[in-house]
């Protein structure tokens, strides 16, 4: 991402002295310095350290990075790291696509089909309420539905559609993707809805008057003008899924690999330099994705 | 009234989406009221508060009550810090703030940073700090304190900081939204009447932004209350409720776990209810002013 420019959200200037501005910003600055910038710098530093079973050994070695890509030169079989990233990318892409389609459809319905503002607010709040309950609870709430003896299987067997319960519903790629969509579609809906609400309704009338069909208006007017929301939502969903280890762990029955999971497991064995090297690689990949996405839109302009 | 084309299919999509969001949650809500014979799935066997009682007794080695109290305490601390720091920073960003762009960029970067990375970094930072403190104590020859010293990782040190990196970006963005719509004429009027900056903040600005500030508080509390990823590596020896819950998903095979779900959801809704009530009261109060 490029450095923010003067296009930062510029609230109405307050009367008063500007000298006090910095002490007012100090607590927030201190928090991000101590709990964000320093930790990131330490991750980078420690990723070059050595370690044994008991402690970290300061130094400078590429050992951690080399061990991560150990065997990746092998062309016949893919190494663990590449496999893990491939699996993580797969979830990322699936979840991104599904949340985008659902998020766009729901936002479109709320923004353009609901005329009364009261109803609109009510339905929007209805969508956001589940966000306020625990993620783990929302994950395990799928267990009684998808389990071997769950409602879905009971229904399918009862209806005679299958002879015996389907096994792949729970603790599988399917259940992980489903849980992600359940948890994070909200992150798509809010920014896309926000973008759509700012579209000047007279543009739609103009498109209609010029003889555009519904699809043409959607594709040539609404989608480009909702782009900012789409990109912001995409950044949220992608960064969350890339680093996730909780959803993959709980919904995958601790069987599915993800890069976040690897970092978590390595820290639990106190292999901090290895975990740090993995975190640096993950961060580099996430930043590249975000950079590519922000090429498509200037987010700061639209805030 | 004639509906726009596409209304009916989209309305069906929307209804299905709402069902998808709420359906599973209602299922565990219902299942948590099973009788003593009940299991993890339907059919419902009896109706009782049995599993809530079991929950109150504790689940094996895990002290759910302590985890719940820790999460509440941490949530309240995060809420207080988020409100104070966000409001102060919001005020700062209205003025000429050298380096404000860089600060804003850092805050946004924190919002979209994968949580496991932030968590790992904070965990590392405090472990290195522990090493430094132990070394210093040894050099200074303070053996007694060294023997007592455990770790700097804790609920109100590393975990609080980790949560703030998640809640403050939301708080600051809400402050931007508020001040974008804020009319500075009120403050000018206060200043013309001879109010000091503090007086004009306390008597003019604060009452006007109060409902949104309450909203920031709610954001802070609920985001902290449910946070796992940023807490996971940064909390040390104790656990918050969501972390305990995550562990319990693999070990507890009774509807007690659904009972926890019902309890935590109820707490979330109580917080939201109180917030909405406060916002309404504050809104009426400022409207009632001449």
């Amino acid at each position: 991402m490029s450095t923010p420019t003067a296009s930062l959200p510029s609230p109405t200037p307050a009367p008063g002295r500007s000298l006090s501005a910095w002490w007012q910003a100090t607590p927030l600055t201190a928090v991000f310095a101590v709990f964000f910038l320093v930790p990131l710098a330490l991750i980078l530093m420690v990723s070059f350290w050595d370690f044994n079973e008991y402690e970290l050994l300061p130094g400078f070695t590429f050992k951690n990075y080399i061990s991560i890509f150990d065997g990746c030169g092998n062309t016949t079989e893919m190494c663990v790291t590449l496999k893990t990233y491939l699996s993580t990318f797969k979830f990322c892409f699936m979840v991104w696509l599904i949340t985008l389609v659902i998020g766009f459809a729901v936002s479109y319905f709320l923004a353009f089909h609901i005329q009364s503002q009261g109803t609109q607010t009510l339905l929007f709040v209805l969508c956001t309420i589940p966000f306020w309950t625990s993620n783990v609870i929302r994950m395990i709430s799928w267990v009684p539905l998808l389990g071997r003896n769950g409602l879905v299987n009971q229904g399918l067997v009862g209806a005679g559609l299958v002879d015996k319960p389907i096994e792949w519903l729970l603790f599988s790629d399917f259940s992980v993707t489903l849980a992600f969509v359940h948890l994070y579609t909200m992150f798509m809906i809010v920014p896309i809805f926000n973008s759509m609400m700012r579209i000047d309704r007279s543009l739609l009338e103009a498109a209609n008057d010029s003889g555009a069909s519904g699809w043409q208006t959607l594709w040539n007017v609404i989608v480009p003008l909702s782009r900012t929301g789409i990109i912001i939502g995409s950044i949220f969903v992608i960064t969350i899924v890339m680093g996730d280890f909780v959803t993959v762990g709980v919904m995958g029955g601790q069987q599915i690999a993800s890069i976040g999971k690897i970092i978590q497991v390595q820290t639990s064995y106190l292999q901090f330099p290895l975990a740090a090297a993995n975190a640096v690689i993950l961060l580099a990949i996430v930043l590249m994705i975000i950079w590519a996405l922000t090429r498509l839109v200037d987010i700061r302009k639209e805030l | 009234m004639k509906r726009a084309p596409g209304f009916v299919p989209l309305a069906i999509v929307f209804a299905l989406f709402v069902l998808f969001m709420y359906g599973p949650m209602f299922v565990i809500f219902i299942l948590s009221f099973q009788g003593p014979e009940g299991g993890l799935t339907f059919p419902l066997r009896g109706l009782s508060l049995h599993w809530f009682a079991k929950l109150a007794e504790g689940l094996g080695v895990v002290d759910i009550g302590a985890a719940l109290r820790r999460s509440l305490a941490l949530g309240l601390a995060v809420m207080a810090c988020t409100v104070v720091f966000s409001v102060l920073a919001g005020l700062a960003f209205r003025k000429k703030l050298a380096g404000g762009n860089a600060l804003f960029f850092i805050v946004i970067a924190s919002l979209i940073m994968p949580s496991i990375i932030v968590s790992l970094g904070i965990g590392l930072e405090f472990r290195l700090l522990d090493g430094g403190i132990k070394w210093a104590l040894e050099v200074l020859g303070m053996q007694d304190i060294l023997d007592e010293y455990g770790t700097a990782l804790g609920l109100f040190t590393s975990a609080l900081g980790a949560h703030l990196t998640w809640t403050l970006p939301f708080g600051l963005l809400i402050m931007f939204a508020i001040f974008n719509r804020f009319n500075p004429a009120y403050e000018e009027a206060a200043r013309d009447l001879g109010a000091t900056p503090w007086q004009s903040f306390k008597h003019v600005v604060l009452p006007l932004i109060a409902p949104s500030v309450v909203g920031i508080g709610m954001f802070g509390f609920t985001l902290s209350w449910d946070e796992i990823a940023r807490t996971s590596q940064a909390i040390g020896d104790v656990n918050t409720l969501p972390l305990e819950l995550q562990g319990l998903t693999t070990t507890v095979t009774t509807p007690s776990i659904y009972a926890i779900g019902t309890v935590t959801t109820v707490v979330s809704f109580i917080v939201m209810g109180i917030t909405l009530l406060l916002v309404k009261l504050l809104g009426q109060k400022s409207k009632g002013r001449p």
Side-chain angles (χ1 to χ4, degrees):
Chain A
M1 250 186 289
S2 55
T3 9
T5 55
S7 56
L8 194 91
S10 50
T12 24
R17 297 161 304 174
S18 60
L19 262 176
S20 57
W22 256 112
W23 77 253
Q24 285 176 333
T26 302
L28 182 105
T29 314
V31 166
F32 284 98
V34 175
F35 294 103
F36 185 65
L37 294 181
V38 172
L40 285 187
L42 288 176
I43 287 181
L44 188 64
M45 183 176 86
V46 171
S47 73
F48 293 106
W49 284 16
D50 208 346
F51 64 100
N52 61 27
E53 279 154 58
Y54 314 103
E55 55 183 345
L56 306 175
L57 306 168
F60 187 83
T61 171
F62 285 104
K63 216 174 87 179
N64 304 308
Y65 290 96
I66 292 168
S67 82
I68 287 171
F69 290 107
D70 194 29
C72 288
N74 193 335
T75 44
T76 47
E77 204 189 343
M78 220 193 297
C79 63
V80 179
T81 306
L82 281 185
K83 262 189 200 153
T84 310
Y85 270 103
L86 218 60
S87 150
T88 311
F89 285 142
K90 186 187 71 191
F91 282 119
C92 235
F93 180 73
M94 294 282 294
V95 174
W96 171 76
L97 196 67
I98 298 171
T99 53
L100 179 61
V101 170
I102 298 178
F104 192 88
V106 168
S107 307
Y108 184 87
F109 177 74
L110 289 178
F112 295 112
H113 281 297
I114 303 295
Q115 309 294 339
S116 134
Q117 214 192 338
T119 319
Q120 200 175 45
T121 313
L122 188 80
L123 292 181
F124 181 74
V125 170
L126 192 70
C127 290
T128 55
I129 286 174
F131 177 68
W132 298 112
T133 55
S134 166
N135 280 1
V136 177
I137 298 302
R138 289 171 68 193
M139 283 174 217
I140 60 165
S141 67
W142 283 103
V143 173
L145 288 174
L146 301 179
R148 204 173 177 285
N149 300 309
L151 267 189
V152 173
N153 270 327
Q154 283 177 12
L156 288 174
V157 173
L161 289 170
V162 290
D163 313 330
K164 53 182 181 26
I166 307 170
E167 299 285 349
W168 54 261
L169 285 177
L170 195 60
F171 303 142
S172 60
D173 289 7
F174 171 77
S175 61
V176 174
T177 312
L178 188 75
F180 271 130
V181 171
H182 190 226
L183 293 174
Y184 301 123
T185 304
M186 224 281 298
F187 280 107
M188 278 290 189
I189 294 179
V190 172
I192 296 179
F193 178 71
N194 188 35
S195 285
M196 282 179 175
M197 289 307 284
R198 292 173 183 209
I199 296 176
D200 190 344
R201 296 301 188 267
S202 58
L203 289 173
L204 306 183
E205 280 168 36
N208 192 23
D209 291 346
S210 318
S213 71
W215 285 109
Q216 280 173 325
T217 314
L218 179 71
W219 190 248
N220 295 317
V221 181
I222 295 172
V223 170
L225 289 174
S226 327
R227 201 173 56 173
T228 316
I230 293 173
I231 303 274
I232 293 177
S234 303
I235 289 177
F236 268 121
V237 169
I238 289 170
T239 50
I240 290 171
V241 178
M242 280 301 285
D244 180 89
F245 61 94
V246 181
T247 316
V248 169
V250 172
M251 294 309 285
Q254 314 292 339
Q255 297 297 313
I256 294 171
S258 89
I259 194 64
K261 189 101 191 117
I262 288 187
I263 295 176
Q264 190 228 353
V265 170
Q266 282 169 340
T267 53
S268 66
Y269 289 112
L270 301 180
Q271 300 169 323
F272 284 104
L274 265 181
N278 267 313
V280 170
I281 296 169
L282 170 64
L283 182 57
I285 291 174
V286 169
L287 285 180
M288 276 193 279
I289 298 176
I290 292 173
W291 180 82
L293 282 171
T294 48
R295 289 303 90 189
L296 303 172
V297 68
D298 185 353
I299 287 168
R300 278 160 281 113
K301 230 181 216 164
E302 323 259 352
L303 260 174
Chain B
M1 192 180 107
K2 189 180 158 286
R3 292 289 186 194
F7 177 83
V8 174
L10 276 171
I12 293 170
V13 168
F14 183 80
L16 286 175
F17 175 72
V18 171
L19 188 69
F20 171 70
M21 293 309 275
Y22 286 87
M25 277 162 51
F26 277 114
V27 167
I28 66 157
F29 184 70
I30 294 166
L31 287 177
S32 67
F33 290 98
Q34 294 231 45
E37 306 292 307
L40 282 175
T41 52
F42 281 105
L44 207 60
R45 293 199 184 86
L47 207 64
S48 75
L49 293 173
H50 177 80
W51 299 105
F52 289 93
K54 280 268 174 229
L55 180 65
E57 286 167 20
L59 298 171
V61 289
V62 179
D63 189 349
I64 286 295
L68 192 129
R69 281 191 295 277
R70 276 196 290 270
S71 273
L72 269 177
L74 181 59
L76 290 174
V78 170
M79 181 175 84
C81 293
T82 307
V83 166
V84 175
F85 297 178
S86 308
V87 171
L88 280 175
L91 291 171
F93 268 101
R94 299 175 72 204
K95 303 168 186 165
K96 272 204 185 77
L97 185 66
N101 280 337
L103 182 60
F104 179 72
F105 171 63
I106 291 167
V107 171
I108 295 303
S110 171
L111 184 63
I112 57 179
M113 180 71 56
S115 295
I116 181 83
I117 298 182
V118 180
S119 185
L120 169 68
I122 295 174
L124 260 176
E125 180 182 39
F126 277 76
R127 279 187 172 80
L128 294 174
L129 188 69
D130 283 343
I133 292 174
K134 281 178 185 162
W135 176 81
L137 288 175
E138 208 170 298
V139 168
L140 294 169
M142 294 194 268
Q143 199 59 44
D144 302 346
I145 306 176
L146 181 61
D147 293 341
E148 291 282 305
Y149 186 79
T151 174
L153 282 163
L155 204 57
F156 294 110
T157 53
S158 48
L160 177 63
H163 281 205
L164 287 177
T165 62
W166 178 232
T167 59
L168 282 175
F170 286 99
L172 190 66
L173 287 176
I174 297 174
M175 284 310 295
F176 276 154
I178 299 169
F179 280 134
N180 266 331
R181 286 189 233 114
F182 193 80
N183 186 352
Y186 296 115
E187 280 165 285
E188 275 163 36
R191 200 178 42 173
D192 290 347
L193 292 171
T196 63
W198 171 245
Q199 282 175 323
S200 90
F201 174 73
K202 191 180 163 213
H203 297 295
V204 179
V205 179
L206 194 58
L208 285 171
I209 65 172
S212 313
V213 171
V214 173
I216 294 176
M218 178 187 83
F219 256 88
F221 182 85
T222 44
L223 288 174
S224 161
W225 176 249
D226 295 333
E227 170 55 42
I228 298 180
R230 289 197 186 213
T231 332
S232 61
Q233 317 300 323
I235 189 152
D237 305 328
V238 291
N239 271 340
T240 57
L241 193 60
L243 281 167
E244 293 287 15
L245 257 175
Q246 190 205 347
L248 289 175
T249 55
T250 51
T251 53
V252 175
T253 49
T254 65
S256 282
I257 194 154
Y258 300 151
I260 309 178
T262 305
V263 170
T264 56
T265 305
V266 166
V267 170
S268 295
F269 282 111
I270 289 174
V271 172
M272 275 171 61
I274 292 173
T275 314
L276 290 177
L277 206 70
L278 268 176
V279 168
K280 209 169 174 184
L281 282 176
L282 288 168
Q284 276 172 356
K285 213 171 118 194
S286 60
K287 251 182 227 153
R289 262 159 216 252

